[in-house]
Amino acid sequence: GEDVEQSLFLSVREGDSSVINCTYTDSSSTYLYWYKQEPGAGLQLLTYIFSNMDMKQDQRLTVLLNKKDKHLSLRIADTQTGDSAIYFCAEYSGGGADGLTFGKGTHLIIQP
Amino acid sequence: DARVTQTPRDKVTEMGQEVTMRCQPILGHNTVFWYRQTMMQGLELLAYFRNRAPLDDSGMPKDRFSAEMPDATLATLKIQPSEPRDSAVYFCASGSFDATGELFFGEGSRLTVL
């Protein structure tokens, strides 16, 4: 089946940029997502990018997509303590629920 | 404000007991998922339904877990008998799988089996 891989943990200092990386195997992915899970809560969609784009920016968030290498990244500028969460990469290749795959999540740890 | 509702939020039980978790998906969503989250394994897909029909439950230990959708407003996940290794947070999510495929998650049911 399709696979989405991401590191389990990332530690950054407050004020620095965080870059969370993800690789996927499905070459027919149409949408790629970043979901955020805050402590004690469910996952919420943070941002997404359509596969014909290579970059999307939204305030402190920058999503980069390298479709050739099947690599997705999420950059958070000026990381704050409120950004401490688990970030999930997911890809969707269409066709309903069968086409959706999540990574296991990256824990972003903020050091003061 | 439409949201996925899960009950119970927290459940502590003893090994061997039956546990039932419930989920009310967002009205109009035709796809419902059950996920399990642990620190060691991360997020794991257990089962999902489309239009109330089970499509894939290959992630679920079938000897003790069962998932059903008795109607469009209720999905259930049952564990019988429960074991300590079932301790995890169980999430329900629903979606309509329009063009973007976005999923909406509930806040989870934290299960502790002693």
Side-chain angles (χ1 to χ4, degrees):
Chain A
E2 306 309 334
D3 203 14
V4 175
E5 298 281 344
Q6 45 183 139
S7 301
L8 274 183
F9 295 97
L10 176 66
S11 178
V12 298
R13 297 179 72 88
E14 190 175 358
D16 288 350
S17 291
S18 306
V19 180
I20 304 171
N21 294 301
C22 168
T23 58
Y24 59 97
T25 59
D26 189 348
S27 57
S28 63
S29 296
T30 52
Y31 284 92
L32 294 119
Y33 312 90
W34 287 104
Y35 280 77
K36 179 182 181 181
Q37 183 187 25
E38 295 185 348
L43 284 70
Q44 281 194 304
L45 184 65
L46 188 61
T47 186
Y48 68 89
I49 188 168
F50 190 50
S51 60
N52 69 352
M53 300 168 64
D54 52 21
M55 186 179 90
K56 181 179 180 181
Q57 187 143 8
D58 182 4
Q59 299 182 328
R60 293 190 298 119
L61 305 179
T62 304
V63 179
L64 295 177
L65 175 60
N66 182 328
K67 200 171 179 184
K68 174 175 168 290
D69 294 339
K70 299 191 188 70
H71 182 267
L72 182 74
S73 68
L74 174 70
R75 179 176 180 269
I76 305 172
D78 186 25
T79 308
Q80 302 297 309
T81 54
D83 297 322
S84 180
I86 306 175
Y87 292 82
F88 291 86
C89 174
E91 64 88 19
Y92 179 55
S93 54
D98 297 342
L100 179 66
T101 305
F102 277 88
K104 291 190 180 294
T106 298
H107 294 243
L108 179 61
I109 300 161
I110 316 298
Q111 300 173 31
Chain B
D1 183 25
R3 64 179 67 183
V4 175
T5 305
Q6 289 186 246
T7 56
R9 288 298 313 275
D10 276 285
K11 175 75 174 179
V12 180
T13 191
E14 293 189 344
M15 183 173 64
Q17 297 297 305
E18 178 180 300
V19 175
T20 300
M21 288 168 275
R22 294 177 173 81
C23 168
Q24 181 176 358
I26 292 174
L27 192 64
H29 283 181
N30 66 348
T31 310
V32 177
F33 293 75
W34 282 106
Y35 288 92
R36 175 170 64 183
Q37 185 181 33
T38 61
M39 185 64 79
M40 296 300 293
Q41 298 297 326
L43 194 69
E44 300 175 280
L45 176 65
L46 295 176
Y48 69 90
F49 297 78
R50 183 187 299 157
N51 297 323
R52 294 177 54 204
L55 284 191
D56 185 353
D57 60 1
S58 57
M60 211 163 64
K62 302 219 189 19
D63 56 336
R64 298 183 300 107
F65 285 60
S66 60
E68 295 179 348
M69 270 200 83
D71 62 61
T73 64
L74 177 65
T76 62
L77 179 67
K78 187 179 293 186
I79 308 174
Q80 167 63 21
S82 57
E83 297 181 1
R85 60 181 166 150
D86 302 328
S87 297
V89 182
Y90 291 81
F91 287 101
C92 175
S94 71
S96 59
F97 280 87
D98 56 10
T100 66
E102 181 182 356
L103 275 196
F104 296 81
F105 282 75
E107 295 196 322
S109 293
R110 179 178 296 277
L111 174 65
T112 303
V113 183
L114 303 175

